[in-house]
Structure formats: C-alpha cells, structure tokens
Amino acid sequence: MEITDFVVIPATDKHTNYALQIVDEMEESAKARGTGIARRSPDYVAQKMLEGKAVIALHKDGTWAGFCYIETWSHGDFVANSGLIVNPIYRKAGLAKAIKKRIFELSREKYPKAKIFGLTTGLAVMKINSELGYEPVTYSELTQDENFWKGCQSCVNFDILTMKERKNCMCTAMLWDPEEKAKEIEEKMRLAKEQEEKEKTEQMTKVSRKATLLERIEAKLRGSLKMMLGISALLIKIIQH
C-alpha cells in the first residue's frame, strides 16, 4: 500500500457522512492508548467539515482513511490541529504525516498570523510536528483560553493536569510561532548572504593572487628576455670583432 493510493484534501459537505465513523475511531484509539481525549460528537466533526476547517484522507476506492481538524483559541491568536486519526486498516502507509502536513498548510492559509500548537503523548506525532518546524514549549506558552483547557476534562489524565496547576501533564506541548519562524528565515537569509559575500571575496582574492602571480611570471620573463637580448647583442659584437 502506497501513499499514492490516497487523496488528502480539505473536507467539505460531501464528507459529513463519515463523521460518525471518525468520532467512533477517535474514541477507540484513545482507549487503546490509555490516554483519553475530549469526546467530540459527529455533529461537531461535521460542522468542522462545513466550515472548511478539516482535512480528510480517502482511499482511491472511497473508503475513509484519516482525518484532522482545526480549532481556534484566544480570538484566533492560537490554532490547534486536533483529532488526528487514521483508519486502522490503513496505518503504516504514511497517512498521518500527509494529513498533518495538509492540515498545517490549511491552518497557515486560514490563519497566517496564528501560533499553531499541539498537545500529544504520541512519539510519532511529535516527530511529525518537529519535521514541520514545531518546537517543544512549556504550557505557559500555549493559549490560556479556558474553553481550551475545559476540553481536557474528559481526558484520563485531567487530575494530573489540575494537580500541577496546568503547568505540565502527560502531554508534550509543541508550538509553531510564525514570528519566530520569520526571524529564523531572516537569520538564514542573512547568513546565506554573508556566506555568498565571503565566497565572492575569496574568489576575488584567488583571482587577484593569480593575477599577481602571472604579473610576477611575466616580469621575470621580460627580465629574462631582456637579459637574453643583451647577451645576444654582446655575442654579436664579439663575433664581429
């Protein structure tokens, strides 16, 4: 099974019939991991599709293969890519990475100034997030929107979160900050420009050294030629006498 056997696209009203299957699989997956997630209703998932805030993966035969949706917090200052799920029969095909990449792109398209964050216990998701440019952060750097944290109440680890006053829990917090990324890009461009200028300077220095060497060789040749001409003239005089 190859990733080319699937399409990963923004979900629309044409996909709402998959909502029940998606939420059921989310719940089963959470139970299997023993971590627990906030339970979402089929209506909630369907609404995300209607709002254009979700990505769905489908097998070429039309079977549902995966899903993820966007949530916004703190008046759109923060965005979370939530509910990542892959149909068990299609796991190990690289779908999770493809879905995460597409929902990340969709988030950037819709909310270009928002910080994108996630909370996860899954090593695979952490790896994908890292590849997308997310950085591990403390919980204090995430949204402080109470509605977001209320969503953790159905998690089996909610007592731990409460006991630690929302400073940390079993999940790892990861953040993609557009301002920080812009600074990183500027820094990379600055370093690249410096490197380019350095290489140009080195090249000019090499050319200059070659030119100097050629000039020295030419000067020596001229000196040698002058000497040879002088010797030749002297020999001619000697022969004539």
Side-chain angles (χ1 to χ4, degrees), residues 78 137-144 149 166-168 173 175:
F78 286 86
V137 295
T138 61
Y139 281 25
S140 63
E141 294 182 63
L142 305 181
T143 178
Q144 298 307 305
W149 296 101
R166 286 195 335 211
K167 293 179 180 178
N168 57 67
L175 182 73

Side-chain angles (χ1 to χ4, degrees), residues 73-136:
W73 308 100
S74 303
H75 307 291
D77 290 339
F78 286 86
V79 166
N81 296 156
S82 304
L84 175 64
I85 189 70
V86 174
N87 190 326
I89 64 174
Y90 295 131
R91 287 174 186 168
K92 307 297 183 183
L95 270 175
K97 184 175 182 178
I99 294 169
K100 280 288 289 183
K101 184 175 184 295
R102 188 64 188 92
I103 197 70
F104 176 80
E105 292 170 347
L106 185 62
S107 299
R108 293 285 296 132
E109 291 165 14
K110 285 184 167 292
Y111 307 97
K113 295 182 179 180
K115 295 179 180 180
I116 305 174
F117 73 98
L119 283 171
T120 182
T121 57
L123 291 176
V125 174
M126 290 181 207
K127 182 179 179 182
I128 295 170
N129 284 346
S130 294
E131 291 174 356
L132 289 171
Y134 286 66
E135 300 287 346

Side-chain angles (χ1 to χ4, degrees), residues 174-186:
M174 301 189 77
L175 182 73
W176 193 95
D177 186 337
E179 290 186 7
E180 289 299 320
K181 293 303 172 184
K183 290 178 183 178
E184 287 180 15
I185 292 171
E186 287 179 4

